[in-house]
Amino acid sequence: MQEMLRVEDLWVSVDERQILKGVNLSINYGEVLVLFGPNGAGKTSFIMTLMGFPKYVVEQGRIYFKGEDITNKDVYERAQLGMGVSFQRPPTVRGVTLRKIIEIISDGRINKEGFVEYAERLNLSGHLDRGLNDGFSGGEIKRSELLQLMVQRPDMVLIDEPESGVDLENITLVGEAINMLLGKDKVKDPKRSAIIITHTGYILDYVNADKGYIIFEGKLICGGDPRDILSEIKRHGYRGCAECR
Amino acid sequence: MSISKIYLSDIRVRAERVKDKKAAIGPDIDLSRYSEHIERGRIENLEGLSRQAKEAAVMAGIDVKEEVRSGSYIQVDHSVVYERINKAYEGKLEIMSTTEALSKYDWLEEYYWRVIPVDQDKYTAQAELNMTHGYFIRVFPHQKPEYPVQACLLVAGNYISQNVHNIIIVEEGAELQVITGCTLAKRDAEGVHIGISEFFVKKGGKLFFTMIHSWADNFHVRPRTGAIVEEDGAFFSNYVLLKPVKSLQMFPAAYLKGDRSSAKFNTILYGLKDSYIDVGSRIVLEGEDTRGESTARAIAADESVIYSRGDLIAKTRGYCLAHLDCRGILFSNKAKIYAIPQLVSDGAIKAELSHEASIGPIAEEQVEYLMSRGISREDAVSVITSGFLNLDIPFIPEFLDRNIKEVIKATAKEAL
Ligand SMILES: Nc1ncnc2c1ncn2[C@@H]1O[C@H](COP(=O)(O)OP(=O)(O)O)[C@@H](O)[C@H]1O
Ligand SMILES: [Mg+2]
C-alpha cells in the first residue's frame, strides 16, 4: 500500500508554547486513523498544523503529502493538493451564506441539485441561506463542516471531534456523512484517508477505523486497534495508557 | 390650485437670508462655479436615453425595461424627460415633477419644506431659489404596489447644479418602494447635485426607500433628507455608494412622531480615490414604543476619507428602543475612517439606546478558514468583504452583488 501522509519528528509551538514534541506518523492511501487524547493534549493543534495554519509554528520536522514536502506550503496550497479539515470551532463569517461558500467550493464540480441533496441529507437545507456558522448550534456546525467537505472532496480529511455537540438523532447522519466523505459508500473509490479526532469514541460505532493513537505529552503513543485503545482508555485513563507503553 | 403665494414668498425670503451660509459639516462648495442651465427634450421610453445615459442609469439600479417597476421618473440635467405609471398601477399612485405638483395641489403647502428647514444652509437655499424639479410620488390610501417606483436623477452636462426637491407621500395604510438612482452620464463631469427629499409616512404606512449614488471624481453632492413617520408607520432607508465622489455630505433623518412607528437605515459606503464622504443617519424617537435601527458599513480604499455618523435621539416619555451598528474596514494606509456614533436621551427615561462601532481589518481567521476549503486568498477576501457589505437590500440584490464584486476586485489587492 502506498503512503499518503508522512510526518517526521514534528515539533510545533503555539504562541511560544511547545505543543507537539516529536510526532511521527505514516498514513497510507485509504487508511482511516483515529486520534484520542485528553483535553488540551494537542489534537486540534496537530491537524491544524497538517493543514498549514500559520498560528501553528513548525519548529522542527517535516510533513510529506503524496510524496511532496508540504512543510512550507500555505493552507490554500495544501487544500489544492487534496487536504481538507472539519473544524472543531470554525469562525463565523457574517453576511456570507453557507450556500454561497458551497457554490464557490464546488466551482462547477458538482451541480446545484447535488449539494442541495447533500444539505437535505444532513438536515441543513434550512441553513443554506444563513450566514456561515452564524448562530449555528454545535451539531449544526459539525454538519455544515461535513457538508462543505462533501463538496470539496479532499483525499485526506482531517475531522476534529465530529460527534461533539451532536445529538443522538443526528449522530447517524454525521457517521453517514463521514463514510460518504471517505468513499465508503462506493466500492470504487477506496483511496481516501482520514484522521478523525474523537474524545468520546462514539464515532467508532459508525465509522470503520483502521488504526488508533493516543496523543499525550506532545507525542503519539499506543498505536493499535482503535477499539482496543478505547477500552484501555476507559479502563486505565490516559495516564494509565501512557505508563503501560 | 397652486400652493399659496404667501407661503412661497415667505420661504423665498428665508432662503435668501442663508444664501451664503456654510453647512455645519463637510467642505464648503463655491456654488457660483456651477451656473450652467441645460434643458433636455422628452423621451418616449427609457430606450430613448443616450447610450451613455442609459448605461449610467443601469449602473444606478434603474431597470430600463421597466418590467419589475410600478412606475418611472427620469430627469436629465434640468429637465424632466419621462414619467410613467405602469398600467396595472394607474389610480393607485401618482408620479409627477414637484414643480407640477406645486401648481396642482394647494395642500402641498403642508409638505413642502416642512421636514427640512429651507434656511438650513446655502444648499437648501439653492434648492429653493434655483429649483430644477425633482419628483413627487404619492401612493393612495391602502394601496400596496408590489413593484418599486424608480426615479433617476441624471446629470449629463458640465458645470451645472442640479437642484431637485423630492416629495414622497405614503398615505394611510399604504406601502411603497422607491429606488432612486443618481448618476452622471459622463464620468469626468464637474458639477453639483443638491437633493432635498421630504418623505411622509402616514398612519400604518410603509416606505422602503433605496438610493444608489454613482458619482465621479469631480462631482459634489449635498442631499438633505428627512422623513416624518406617523403612528404604526415604518420607514426603511437604504443607501449605496460604490463610486468615487469629490465630496458628499448628508445626514438623513427619520422623525418617529407617531406611537409604534419605526425606522431602519442601511448604509453602504465605499471610499475610492480621493473621495470625501460624510454620511450619517439620524433617528429621532418622539412617539411611544418607537423602534430604530441603523446599520452602516464603510470601506475606505485609496486616499479616501469617510465619516460614518449615526445619531439616535430619544425624546419620548414612553418606551423606545434603538440600536446603531457601524463598522469600517480600511483598505489602504492612505485612507481614513471616522466612526462617530452618538446616543442622546432627552428626558426619555425609558429609552434603551445602544451602539456598536468598530474599525478593523477582515479577520485573518476567516480568510484562512475559507482558504482551507480550496479558495484562494484573493477570492476569500473578496467574498468576506462582500459579505461585510451585504445588507440584504431588496429588489437590487444582483445589481449590488455584481457592483460590489467589481469594486472589491479593483481595490482589495491593496488590503492583502
Ligand atoms: N491560540 C492559543 N494560544 C495559546 N495556547 C493555545 C492556543 N490554542 C491552543 N492552545 C493550547 O495548546 C494546547 C493544545 O490545544 P489543542 O490542540 O486545542 O488541544 P486538544 O484539541 O487536544 O484539546 C492547549 O494547552 C491549549 O490551551
Ligand atoms: Mg481540540
Side-chain angles (χ1 to χ4, degrees):
Chain A
M1 255 204 295
Q2 230 194 323
E3 192 177 55
M4 183 186 272
L5 180 81
R6 176 175 194 78
V7 176
E8 285 177 359
D9 190 29
L10 190 67
W11 290 68
V12 171
S13 68
V14 180
D15 288 344
E16 307 296 322
R17 251 189 76 196
Q18 201 63 45
I19 308 291
L20 301 181
K21 302 168 184 170
V23 170
N24 292 289
L25 179 70
S26 165
I27 298 177
N28 288 331
Y29 278 83
E31 236 182 340
V32 175
L33 185 127
V34 176
L35 261 190
F36 301 98
N39 270 328
K43 304 183 292 296
T44 297
S45 302
F46 180 50
I47 62 166
M48 297 306 254
T49 306
L50 294 181
M51 193 70 221
F53 290 95
K55 193 173 95 182
Y56 303 87
V57 180
V58 176
E59 313 259 336
Q60 189 180 313
R62 310 234 62 96
I63 305 166
Y64 300 90
F65 182 62
K66 295 179 178 172
E68 203 174 329
D69 184 346
I70 59 163
T71 318
N72 295 318
K73 292 203 182 302
D74 74 14
V75 181
Y76 172 62
E77 292 170 309
R78 294 185 202 201
Q80 294 291 86
L81 284 172
M83 296 180 93
V85 61
S86 163
F87 282 60
Q88 184 176 8
R89 281 183 212 90
T92 297
V93 190
R94 272 207 246 174
V96 179
T97 62
L98 177 57
R99 184 190 300 279
K100 175 111 211 169
I101 285 303
I102 288 175
E103 277 172 8
I104 298 172
I105 298 172
S106 74
D107 195 18
R109 269 179 295 154
I110 157 177
N111 63 22
K112 270 205 169 94
E113 295 78 50
F115 70 66
V116 170
E117 189 199 312
Y118 287 163
E120 269 164 21
R121 271 213 233 175
L122 280 168
N123 234 337
L124 279 174
S125 19
H127 289 64
L128 284 174
D129 294 310
R130 281 174 55 178
L132 191 53
N133 305 324
D134 197 352
F136 286 20
S137 73
E140 287 161 357
I141 282 181
K142 298 292 152 180
R143 284 182 276 133
S144 138
E145 289 290 300
L146 293 172
L147 174 62
Q148 293 170 56
L149 288 181
M150 282 161 87
V151 178
Q152 186 182 352
R153 305 193 148 269
D155 298 322
M156 166 112 233
V157 268
L158 311 167
I159 308 176
D160 203 345
E161 301 207 17
E163 72 273 69
S164 73
V166 179
D167 49 35
L168 281 173
E169 241 171 276
N170 282 313
I171 191 132
T172 323
L173 287 179
V174 165
E176 280 172 9
I178 293 175
N179 283 324
M180 249 181 96
L181 262 176
L182 298 175
K184 301 287 182 200
D185 55 338
K186 295 190 199 91
V187 207
K188 263 177 78 186
D189 189 16
K191 293 224 185 81
R192 301 209 176 153
S193 313
I195 299 179
I196 303 174
I197 294 174
T198 177
H199 193 58
T200 59
Y202 290 152
I203 203 67
L204 291 176
D205 295 342
Y206 302 88
V207 178
N208 267 321
D210 302 300
K211 225 180 0 184
Y213 283 100
I214 294 175
I215 192 162
F216 196 78
E217 288 176 347
K219 287 195 169 67
L220 293 190
I221 56 167
C222 307
D225 179 80
R227 291 183 172 277
D228 294 346
I229 297 173
L230 186 61
S231 57
E232 288 299 311
I233 295 168
K234 280 185 178 151
R235 219 175 309 155
H236 307 295
Y238 287 111
R239 186 151 291 278
C241 282
E243 274 158 10
C244 88
R245 82 187 133 134
Chain B
M1 220 175 51
S2 103
I3 184 170
S4 89
K5 294 239 157 49
I6 305 167
Y7 181 65
L8 278 182
S9 71
D10 176 52
I11 54 175
R12 291 256 154 82
V13 170
R14 287 170 57 203
E16 284 286 350
R17 271 191 225 130
V18 296
K19 254 177 21 183
D20 300 312
K21 183 181 167 192
K22 290 181 184 172
I25 44 177
D28 188 49
I29 305 169
D30 176 7
L31 292 175
S32 68
R33 280 171 55 90
Y34 310 104
S35 54
E36 295 292 320
H37 187 86
I38 305 175
E39 293 284 351
R40 304 278 172 180
R42 287 188 76 89
I43 52 171
E44 288 299 308
N45 53 49
L46 299 190
E47 297 294 341
L49 288 168
S50 76
R51 197 177 53 86
Q52 268 184 331
K54 200 160 70 187
E55 272 170 20
V58 169
M59 285 303 289
I62 299 301
D63 173 22
V64 178
K65 293 200 174 68
E66 300 181 76
E67 274 161 1
V68 286
R69 300 290 185 259
S70 61
S72 300
Y73 172 95
I74 313 289
Q75 183 165 343
V76 181
D77 295 328
H78 294 137
S79 306
V80 182
V81 301
Y82 185 76
E83 318 112 305
R84 175 166 166 266
I85 291 177
N86 276 1
K87 271 250 157 5
Y89 301 101
E90 278 170 12
K92 298 186 171 179
L93 69 152
E94 58 182 337
I95 302 174
M96 65 188 85
S97 83
T98 303
T99 330
E100 186 184 342
L102 287 172
S103 66
K104 201 166 163 185
Y105 297 132
D106 58 350
W107 49 259
L108 214 51
E109 190 175 318
E110 303 304 319
Y111 299 83
Y112 188 64
W113 289 118
R114 294 294 184 181
V115 189
I116 316 276
V118 67
D119 50 7
Q120 183 176 315
D121 53 36
K122 66 203 261 187
Y123 308 105
T124 53
Q126 166 94 334
E128 172 55 30
L129 300 172
N130 300 305
M131 175 186 178
T132 51
H133 308 292
Y135 54 77
F136 169 82
I137 302 169
R138 181 162 73 119
V139 56
F140 300 135
H142 305 289
Q143 297 297 340
K144 299 173 182 178
E146 58 181 323
Y147 294 126
V149 171
Q150 60 182 2
C152 184
L153 303 167
L154 200 128
V155 172
N158 244 326
Y159 298 104
I160 74 163
S161 175
Q162 189 181 49
N163 312 314
V164 298
H165 194 134
N166 306 312
I167 294 176
I168 299 177
I169 302 174
V170 176
E171 297 286 3
E172 263 188 48
E175 285 183 28
L176 181 68
Q177 308 171 59
V178 176
I179 296 175
T180 299
C182 301
T183 184
L184 304 174
K186 294 195 194 74
R187 303 315 301 168
D188 60 353
E190 261 189 63
V192 56
H193 168 92
I194 296 172
I196 309 300
S197 296
E198 298 185 286
F199 302 153
F200 301 85
V201 182
K202 302 288 181 69
K203 224 166 130 177
K206 285 197 175 97
L207 174 60
F208 300 83
F209 180 79
T210 296
M211 183 143 82
I212 297 161
H213 273 181
S214 179
W215 307 111
D217 312 27
N218 295 315
F219 216 80
H220 295 284
V221 185
R222 293 293 182 277
R224 299 286 179 258
T225 304
I228 287 179
V229 191
E230 292 185 1
E231 57 191 85
D232 298 301
F235 174 57
F236 301 84
S237 172
N238 301 305
Y239 178 77
V240 181
L241 175 74
L242 299 171
K243 286 270 154 59
V245 64
K246 180 93 195 165
S247 82
L248 161 69
Q249 186 271 315
M250 65 177 196
F251 210 146
Y255 301 91
L256 302 179
K257 300 227 181 251
D259 294 347
R260 297 170 304 281
S261 58
S262 64
K264 184 174 191 325
F265 283 92
N266 280 331
T267 307
I268 300 175
L269 305 173
Y270 212 112
L272 294 161
K273 298 192 183 169
D274 61 354
S275 297
Y276 183 102
I277 300 164
D278 188 331
V279 173
S281 69
R282 177 176 289 136
I283 302 176
V284 186
L285 304 111
E286 298 178 25
E288 284 186 25
D289 282 318
T290 45
R291 312 266 146 150
E293 197 182 326
S294 188
T295 308
R297 297 285 180 268
I299 293 183
D302 306 329
E303 294 172 30
S304 62
V305 177
I306 300 180
Y307 287 80
S308 178
R309 302 177 195 265
D311 282 6
L312 302 176
I313 303 170
K315 291 186 170 176
T316 172
R317 289 287 155 80
Y319 178 74
C320 70
L321 177 68
H323 182 68
L324 193 74
D325 172 1
C326 170
R327 291 167 210 262
I329 301 178
L330 223 55
F331 268 8
S332 143
N333 56 16
K334 295 195 186 94
K336 216 169 187 179
I337 294 181
Y338 298 80
I340 312 173
Q342 177 171 253
L343 309 180
V344 180
S345 186
D346 180 358
I349 49 174
K350 292 183 189 161
E352 283 184 27
L353 307 178
S354 58
H355 77 75
E356 52 187 317
S358 66
I359 301 175
I362 290 175
E364 182 59 19
E365 193 194 13
Q366 296 178 15
V367 177
E368 286 169 7
Y369 178 47
L370 298 196
M371 283 170 73
S372 78
R373 300 281 188 245
I375 300 172
S376 69
R377 171 170 288 274
E378 202 175 319
D379 288 349
V381 167
S382 161
V383 70
I384 294 166
T385 310
S386 20
F388 169 82
L389 292 178
N390 186 358
L391 296 178
D392 254 340
I393 298 178
F395 276 97
I396 51 162
E398 296 104 48
F399 163 85
L400 263 188
D401 216 39
R402 199 171 30 176
N403 285 282
I404 287 177
K405 261 199 215 112
E406 251 168 54
V407 262
I408 291 171
K409 212 170 156 191
T411 54
K413 276 212 178 73
E414 256 187 281
L416 292 175

